[in-house]
Amino acid sequence: MAVSAVPSATGTHEGLKFTPGPILLLGPPGVGKGTQAQELVTAWSIPQISTGDLLRSNVSRGTTLGKQAKEVMDRGELVSDELVNQMVADRLTEPDTARGYILDGFPRTLNQADWLDGYLVAIPGSFPVVAVSIEVSYNQLLRRITGRRICSLCKTSYNIYLQPPKVNEICDLDGTPLTRRSDDTEEVFEERMRAYSSLTAPVVEHYRVLGRFAEVNGEQPVDAVTAEVKGAVLRLRS
Ligand code: AMP
């Protein structure tokens, strides 16, 4: 459902008094977009729309889209704009997007950005996007990506270098062996970073030039990054 500039939904929950509109979280793989998106979901009761998660869900369900995307994702390359734009368009028709949403991992090419800009402009009275870019050094990203492990049962995230479980490769909460995303190897990370530099970095510049853009240092503790991301969105929306 489109976000339109109607009076914001109010409720007893503090987060419902604010209408966030569309928020873009930009930044390279492993920068913490998913973690920060989850904080905003909790604060403002709007959905996180992660194109990576939507694609992985299609892969694990064996849909036609998933079959088309899997090999490309395993190589660390980008899935075609056409497929991803359509997937996002479908997701934006869901009623939970009415007050806003957080796009995580989209747009990732200038083509996707142009599509999104056009999509929103075509909706009378729609809120413009606000974009927050999270910045982290290459070496830190490499450790975050290659160390990332996920519990397949409860989805808790660990990092074997930065936030290890108590027992090697086992979830602290339910004892399930941890899994690693198939694209979290060093080789695929390098390819994903190449795709980021050539195709996605221009998207960051696109939104910087458009305005309603902020940059946040992602090398701080998670809480500090969250405070800056939230502060930036509130400022850019005011
Ligand atoms: P992520 O979980 O965001 O790191 O995405 C994992 C993989 O999914 C990427 O390396 C791409 O292959 C694919 N992907 C996710 N989002 C997009 C997008 N917006 N455009 C193209 N491919 C994407």
Coordinates of all heavy atoms in Angstrom, one line a residue, residues 137-187:
S137 N 34.6 0.4 7.7 CA 35.8 0.2 6.9 C 35.8 -1.2 6.3 O 35.1 -2.1 6.8 CB 37.0 0.3 7.8 OG 37.1 -0.8 8.7
Y138 N 36.5 -1.4 5.2 CA 36.6 -2.7 4.5 C 36.9 -3.9 5.4 O 36.3 -4.9 5.4 CB 37.5 -2.6 3.3 CG 37.6 -3.8 2.5 CD1 36.8 -3.9 1.3 CD2 38.4 -4.9 2.8 CE1 36.8 -5.0 0.5 CE2 38.5 -6.0 2.0 CZ 37.7 -6.1 0.9 OH 37.7 -7.2 0.1
N139 N 38.0 -3.7 6.2 CA 38.5 -4.8 7.1 C 37.5 -5.2 8.1 O 37.3 -6.4 8.4 CB 39.8 -4.4 7.8 CG 40.9 -4.5 6.8 OD1 40.8 -5.1 5.7 ND2 42.1 -3.9 7.1
Q140 N 36.8 -4.2 8.7 CA 35.7 -4.5 9.6 C 34.6 -5.3 9.0 O 34.0 -6.3 9.5 CB 35.2 -3.2 10.2 CG 34.1 -3.3 11.2 CD 34.6 -3.9 12.6 OE1 35.7 -4.3 12.7 NE2 33.7 -3.8 13.6
L141 N 34.2 -4.9 7.7 CA 33.2 -5.6 7.0 C 33.5 -7.0 6.8 O 32.7 -7.9 6.9 CB 32.9 -4.9 5.7 CG 32.3 -3.5 5.7 CD1 32.2 -3.0 4.2 CD2 30.9 -3.6 6.3
L142 N 34.8 -7.3 6.4 CA 35.3 -8.6 6.1 C 35.1 -9.5 7.3 O 34.6 -10.6 7.2 CB 36.7 -8.6 5.7 CG 37.4 -9.9 5.3 CD1 36.7 -10.5 4.1 CD2 38.9 -9.6 5.0
R143 N 35.5 -9.0 8.5 CA 35.4 -9.8 9.8 C 33.9 -10.0 10.1 O 33.5 -11.1 10.5 CB 36.0 -9.0 10.9 CG 37.5 -9.3 11.0 CD 38.2 -8.2 11.8 NE 37.8 -8.2 13.2 CZ 38.4 -8.9 14.2 NH1 39.4 -9.7 13.8 NH2 38.1 -8.8 15.4
R144 N 33.1 -9.0 9.9 CA 31.6 -9.2 10.2 C 31.0 -10.2 9.3 O 30.2 -11.0 9.7 CB 30.9 -7.8 10.0 CG 31.3 -6.8 11.0 CD 30.3 -5.7 10.9 NE 30.7 -4.5 11.7 CZ 29.9 -3.4 11.9 NH1 28.8 -3.3 11.2 NH2 30.3 -2.5 12.6
I145 N 31.4 -10.2 8.0 CA 30.8 -11.1 7.0 C 31.3 -12.6 7.2 O 30.5 -13.5 7.3 CB 31.0 -10.7 5.6 CG1 30.2 -9.4 5.3 CG2 30.7 -11.8 4.6 CD1 28.8 -9.7 4.9
T146 N 32.6 -12.7 7.2 CA 33.1 -14.1 7.3 C 32.9 -14.7 8.7 O 32.9 -15.9 8.8 CB 34.6 -14.1 6.9 OG1 35.3 -13.2 7.8 CG2 34.8 -13.7 5.4
G147 N 32.7 -13.9 9.7 CA 32.5 -14.4 11.0 C 31.0 -14.6 11.3 O 30.7 -15.2 12.4
R148 N 30.1 -14.2 10.5 CA 28.7 -14.2 10.7 C 28.2 -15.7 10.8 O 28.4 -16.5 9.9 CB 27.9 -13.4 9.7 CG 26.4 -13.5 9.8 CD 25.8 -12.3 9.2 NE 25.9 -12.3 7.7 CZ 25.5 -11.3 7.0 NH1 24.8 -10.2 7.5 NH2 25.7 -11.3 5.7
R149 N 27.4 -16.0 11.8 CA 26.8 -17.3 11.9 C 25.3 -17.1 12.4 O 25.1 -16.1 13.2 CB 27.5 -18.2 13.0 CG 28.9 -18.5 12.7 CD 29.1 -19.5 11.5 NE 30.5 -19.8 11.3 CZ 31.4 -19.1 10.6 NH1 31.0 -18.0 10.1 NH2 32.6 -19.5 10.5
I150 N 24.4 -17.9 12.0 CA 23.0 -17.7 12.3 C 22.5 -19.1 12.9 O 22.7 -20.1 12.3 CB 22.2 -17.3 11.1 CG1 22.8 -15.9 10.6 CG2 20.7 -17.1 11.4 CD1 22.4 -15.5 9.2
C151 N 21.7 -19.0 13.9 CA 21.0 -20.2 14.4 C 19.8 -20.5 13.5 O 19.0 -19.6 13.2 CB 20.5 -20.0 15.8 SG 19.4 -21.4 16.3
S152 N 19.8 -21.7 12.9 CA 18.8 -22.0 11.9 C 17.4 -22.1 12.6 O 16.4 -22.0 11.9 CB 19.1 -23.3 11.2 OG 19.3 -24.3 12.1
L153 N 17.4 -22.3 13.9 CA 16.1 -22.5 14.6 C 15.5 -21.1 15.0 O 14.5 -20.7 14.6 CB 16.3 -23.4 15.8 CG 15.0 -23.9 16.5 CD1 14.2 -24.7 15.5 CD2 15.3 -24.7 17.7
C154 N 16.3 -20.4 15.9 CA 15.7 -19.2 16.5 C 16.2 -17.9 15.7 O 15.8 -16.8 16.1 CB 16.0 -19.1 17.9 SG 17.7 -18.7 18.3
K155 N 17.1 -18.1 14.7 CA 17.6 -17.0 13.9 C 18.5 -16.0 14.6 O 18.8 -14.9 14.1 CB 16.4 -16.2 13.2 CG 15.4 -17.1 12.5 CD 16.1 -17.7 11.3 CE 15.1 -18.7 10.6 NZ 15.7 -19.8 9.9
T156 N 18.9 -16.3 15.9 CA 19.9 -15.4 16.5 C 21.2 -15.4 15.8 O 21.6 -16.4 15.3 CB 20.1 -15.9 18.0 OG1 18.9 -16.0 18.7 CG2 21.1 -15.1 18.7
S157 N 21.7 -14.1 15.7 CA 22.9 -13.9 14.9 C 24.1 -13.9 15.8 O 24.0 -13.3 16.9 CB 22.8 -12.6 14.3 OG 23.1 -12.6 13.0
Y158 N 25.2 -14.5 15.4 CA 26.5 -14.4 16.2 C 27.6 -14.0 15.3 O 27.4 -13.9 14.0 CB 26.9 -15.8 16.7 CG 25.9 -16.4 17.7 CD1 24.7 -17.1 17.3 CD2 26.0 -16.2 19.1 CE1 23.8 -17.6 18.2 CE2 25.1 -16.7 20.0 CZ 24.0 -17.4 19.5 OH 23.1 -17.9 20.4
N159 N 28.8 -13.7 15.8 CA 29.9 -13.5 15.0 C 31.1 -14.2 15.7 O 31.4 -13.9 16.9 CB 30.2 -12.0 14.8 CG 31.4 -11.8 13.8 OD1 32.5 -12.2 14.1 ND2 31.1 -11.3 12.7
I160 N 31.7 -15.2 15.1 CA 32.8 -16.0 15.8 C 33.9 -15.1 16.2 O 34.7 -15.5 17.1 CB 33.2 -17.2 14.9 CG1 33.8 -16.7 13.6 CG2 32.1 -18.2 14.8 CD1 34.5 -17.8 12.8
Y161 N 34.2 -13.9 15.6 CA 35.3 -13.1 16.1 C 34.8 -12.0 17.1 O 35.5 -11.7 18.0 CB 35.9 -12.3 14.9 CG 36.3 -13.2 13.7 CD1 35.7 -13.0 12.5 CD2 37.2 -14.2 13.9 CE1 36.1 -13.9 11.4 CE2 37.6 -15.1 12.9 CZ 37.0 -14.9 11.6 OH 37.3 -15.7 10.6
L162 N 33.6 -11.4 16.8 CA 33.2 -10.2 17.5 C 32.2 -10.5 18.6 O 32.1 -9.8 19.6 CB 32.6 -9.2 16.5 CG 33.5 -8.9 15.3 CD1 32.7 -8.1 14.3 CD2 34.7 -8.1 15.8
Q163 N 31.4 -11.6 18.5 CA 30.3 -11.9 19.4 C 30.1 -13.4 19.4 O 29.0 -13.9 18.9 CB 29.1 -11.2 18.9 CG 28.0 -10.9 19.9 CD 26.7 -10.4 19.1 OE1 26.8 -10.1 17.9 NE2 25.7 -10.2 19.8
P164 N 31.1 -14.2 19.8 CA 31.0 -15.6 19.7 C 30.0 -16.3 20.6 O 29.8 -15.8 21.7 CB 32.5 -16.1 20.0 CG 33.0 -15.0 20.9 CD 32.3 -13.7 20.5
P165 N 29.5 -17.5 20.2 CA 28.6 -18.2 21.2 C 29.5 -18.8 22.3 O 30.7 -18.9 22.1 CB 28.0 -19.3 20.3 CG 29.1 -19.5 19.2 CD 29.7 -18.1 19.0
K166 N 28.9 -19.2 23.4 CA 29.7 -19.8 24.5 C 30.4 -21.1 24.1 O 31.5 -21.3 24.4 CB 28.8 -20.1 25.7 CG 28.3 -18.8 26.3 CD 27.5 -19.1 27.6 CE 26.8 -17.8 28.1 NZ 25.4 -17.8 28.0
V167 N 29.7 -21.9 23.3 CA 30.3 -23.2 22.8 C 30.4 -23.0 21.3 O 29.5 -22.5 20.6 CB 29.4 -24.4 23.1 CG1 30.0 -25.7 22.5 CG2 29.1 -24.5 24.5
N168 N 31.6 -23.3 20.8 CA 31.9 -23.1 19.4 C 30.8 -23.6 18.4 O 30.5 -24.8 18.5 CB 33.3 -23.9 19.1 CG 34.0 -23.4 17.9 OD1 33.6 -22.3 17.4 ND2 34.9 -24.1 17.3
E169 N 30.3 -22.7 17.6 CA 29.4 -23.0 16.5 C 28.0 -23.6 17.0 O 27.3 -24.2 16.3 CB 30.0 -24.0 15.5 CG 31.3 -23.5 14.8 CD 31.1 -22.5 13.8 OE1 30.0 -22.2 13.3 OE2 32.1 -21.8 13.4
I170 N 27.7 -23.3 18.3 CA 26.4 -23.8 18.8 C 25.6 -22.6 19.4 O 26.2 -21.8 20.1 CB 26.7 -24.8 20.0 CG1 27.4 -26.1 19.5 CG2 25.3 -25.2 20.7 CD1 26.6 -27.0 18.6
C171 N 24.3 -22.6 19.1 CA 23.5 -21.5 19.6 C 23.4 -21.5 21.2 O 23.1 -22.6 21.7 CB 22.1 -21.6 19.0 SG 21.0 -20.3 19.6
D172 N 23.6 -20.4 21.8 CA 23.5 -20.3 23.3 C 22.1 -20.6 23.8 O 21.9 -21.1 24.9 CB 23.9 -18.9 23.8 CG 25.3 -18.5 23.6 OD1 26.1 -19.4 23.3 OD2 25.7 -17.3 23.7
L173 N 21.1 -20.2 22.9 CA 19.8 -20.2 23.4 C 19.1 -21.6 23.3 O 18.3 -21.9 24.2 CB 18.9 -19.2 22.7 CG 19.5 -17.7 22.7 CD1 18.6 -16.8 21.9 CD2 19.6 -17.3 24.2
D174 N 19.4 -22.3 22.2 CA 18.7 -23.6 22.1 C 19.6 -24.8 21.7 O 19.1 -25.8 21.4 CB 17.5 -23.4 21.1 CG 17.9 -22.8 19.8 OD1 19.1 -23.1 19.3 OD2 17.1 -22.1 19.2
G175 N 20.9 -24.6 21.7 CA 21.8 -25.7 21.4 C 21.9 -26.1 20.0 O 22.5 -27.2 19.7
T176 N 21.2 -25.4 19.1 CA 21.2 -25.8 17.6 C 22.6 -25.4 17.0 O 23.1 -24.4 17.3 CB 20.1 -25.1 16.9 OG1 18.9 -25.3 17.6 CG2 20.0 -25.5 15.5
P177 N 23.1 -26.3 16.1 CA 24.4 -25.9 15.4 C 24.1 -24.7 14.6 O 23.1 -24.5 14.0 CB 24.7 -27.1 14.5 CG 24.0 -28.3 15.1 CD 22.7 -27.7 15.8
L178 N 25.1 -23.8 14.6 CA 25.0 -22.5 13.8 C 25.2 -22.8 12.3 O 26.0 -23.7 12.0 CB 25.9 -21.5 14.3 CG 25.8 -21.1 15.8 CD1 26.8 -20.1 16.3 CD2 24.3 -20.6 16.1
T179 N 24.6 -21.9 11.5 CA 24.8 -22.1 10.0 C 25.4 -20.8 9.5 O 25.4 -19.7 10.1 CB 23.5 -22.3 9.3 OG1 22.6 -21.3 9.6 CG2 22.9 -23.6 9.6
R180 N 26.0 -20.9 8.3 CA 26.6 -19.8 7.7 C 25.9 -19.5 6.3 O 25.7 -20.5 5.6 CB 28.1 -20.2 7.4 CG 29.0 -19.1 6.9 CD 30.4 -19.6 6.8 NE 31.3 -18.5 6.5 CZ 32.5 -18.7 6.2 NH1 33.1 -19.9 6.0 NH2 33.3 -17.6 6.0
R181 N 25.6 -18.3 6.0 CA 25.0 -18.0 4.7 C 26.0 -18.5 3.6 O 27.2 -18.2 3.7 CB 24.8 -16.5 4.6 CG 23.4 -16.1 4.9 CD 23.2 -14.7 5.0 NE 23.5 -14.0 3.7 CZ 23.3 -12.7 3.5 NH1 22.7 -12.0 4.5 NH2 23.7 -12.1 2.4
S182 N 25.5 -19.1 2.5 CA 26.4 -19.6 1.5 C 27.2 -18.5 0.8 O 28.3 -18.7 0.2 CB 25.6 -20.4 0.4 OG 24.6 -19.6 -0.1
D183 N 26.7 -17.2 0.9 CA 27.5 -16.1 0.3 C 28.4 -15.4 1.3 O 28.8 -14.3 0.9 CB 26.6 -15.2 -0.5 CG 25.5 -14.5 0.4 OD1 25.3 -14.9 1.5 OD2 24.7 -13.7 -0.1
D184 N 28.6 -15.9 2.5 CA 29.4 -15.2 3.5 C 30.8 -15.7 3.5 O 31.5 -15.5 4.5 CB 28.8 -15.4 4.9 CG 27.7 -14.3 5.1 OD1 27.6 -13.4 4.4 OD2 27.0 -14.4 6.2
T185 N 31.3 -16.3 2.4 CA 32.7 -16.6 2.3 C 33.5 -15.4 1.8 O 33.0 -14.5 1.3 CB 33.0 -17.7 1.3 OG1 32.5 -17.2 0.0 CG2 32.2 -19.0 1.6
E186 N 34.9 -15.5 2.0 CA 35.7 -14.3 1.7 C 35.7 -14.1 0.2 O 35.6 -12.9 -0.3 CB 37.2 -14.6 2.1 CG 38.0 -13.4 2.0 CD 39.3 -13.4 2.7 OE1 39.5 -14.3 3.6 OE2 40.2 -12.6 2.5
E187 N 35.7 -15.2 -0.6 CA 35.7 -15.0 -2.1 C 34.4 -14.3 -2.5 O 34.4 -13.3 -3.3 CB 35.7 -16.3 -2.8 CG 37.0 -17.2 -2.5 CD 36.9 -17.8 -1.1 OE1 35.9 -18.3 -0.7 OE2 38.0 -17.7 -0.4

